[in-house]
Amino acid sequence: MCFAYDATPPDLPPGITEHGGAASGEDLTLTAADGVQFSAYVARPEAPNGAGIVILPDVRGLFRFYQELAVRFAVAGVTAIAIDYFGRTAGTGARDESFEYMPHVQQVQSSQVAQDVRAAITYLQQHTTPAPWALFTVGFCFGGYVSFLQDVDQPDLAGAIAFYGVPNRERAGSPAAIDVVSQFKAPLLAFFGGQDQAIAPEAVEAFGKALTEAHVPHEIVVYPDAPHSFFDRHMEQFQADSANAWERTLAFIGQHTPPKP
């Protein structure tokens, strides 16, 4: 599991909030290409900077942490939409801490998630003003793995971002990220904890080597003392790492968001 149910996204670093200002959020129900409806949450910045991001949750799916994270991005000027994975198996609507997510995680198919991400991108393009012209994904744990795959599945990404996504493990018949790096289309930013018991340092090193050999523009950041799920305001001892990850994430988005066409 990734974040606890009561986890809270780290605060934005000082000075970041001046770029976007206030933000407003809204619950949504989106429809994928196969006709399935799923839950989402969009946060609109007061001063959009041209970037839009699809937030890919951990194994719990969409819950408060990711709604609050979307608002954090919007305050920084990035139009953000967080999606749920389980519309096909658990329906739509809010879920509490008792939700048994693993039976649903085991039924998630990467081709269906790609449809859901595409529906979220379409929403950003058609229902936010101005429509973002640079599109990103960011994912956490299971969502980090999903974000890796969107670098293959989404043709128009400006960049993909992943927090502690396992790079060398297949899931439900979907390939390991390390095995498809030659198909990556966009730059990648990946964060790992050096004390993450779920991801061996050797796996991170091999992933970086594979990305280099495939000529994928990338940055891999390892925080030596950080565990899995360090990006949580409750993890007070890792707030410096979280602040650095925020800074790197927003810098990556800014670097790959060109001036308005």
Side-chain angles (χ1 to χ4, degrees), residues 161-165 189-193 219 221 223 230 244-245 248-249:
I161 306 163
F163 283 74
Y164 25 86
L189 173 62
F191 297 101
F192 297 95
E219 182 180 7
V221 182
Y223 299 106
F230 68 86
N244 181 265
R248 289 176 180 271
T249 294

Side-chain angles (χ1 to χ4, degrees), residues 54-154:
V54 180
I55 299 172
L56 303 163
D58 63 83
V59 290
R60 288 187 185 276
L62 181 60
F63 71 107
R64 185 188 65 184
F65 180 95
Y66 296 102
Q67 295 170 329
E68 294 183 4
L69 183 64
V71 172
R72 298 276 203 282
F73 272 108
V75 167
V78 181
T79 306
I81 187 167
I83 69 169
D84 185 57
Y85 303 119
F86 309 134
R88 293 169 184 80
T89 58
T92 60
R95 308 183 188 103
D96 61 21
E97 188 175 7
S98 67
F99 175 61
E100 296 184 10
Y101 47 83
M102 282 310 299
H104 301 278
V105 173
Q106 292 164 358
Q107 298 177 69
V108 170
Q109 299 294 318
S110 62
S111 60
Q112 295 170 337
V113 175
Q115 290 184 43
D116 298 347
V117 173
R118 176 48 50 184
I121 288 173
T122 299
Y123 182 90
L124 292 180
Q125 292 172 326
Q126 296 182 357
H127 299 285
T128 62
T129 304
W133 55 86
L135 298 165
F136 300 84
T137 58
V138 61
F140 296 80
C141 189
F142 176 71
Y145 166 77
V146 172
S147 192
F148 290 149
L149 295 191
Q150 299 319 297
D151 211 337
V152 176
D153 293 335
Q154 306 301 331

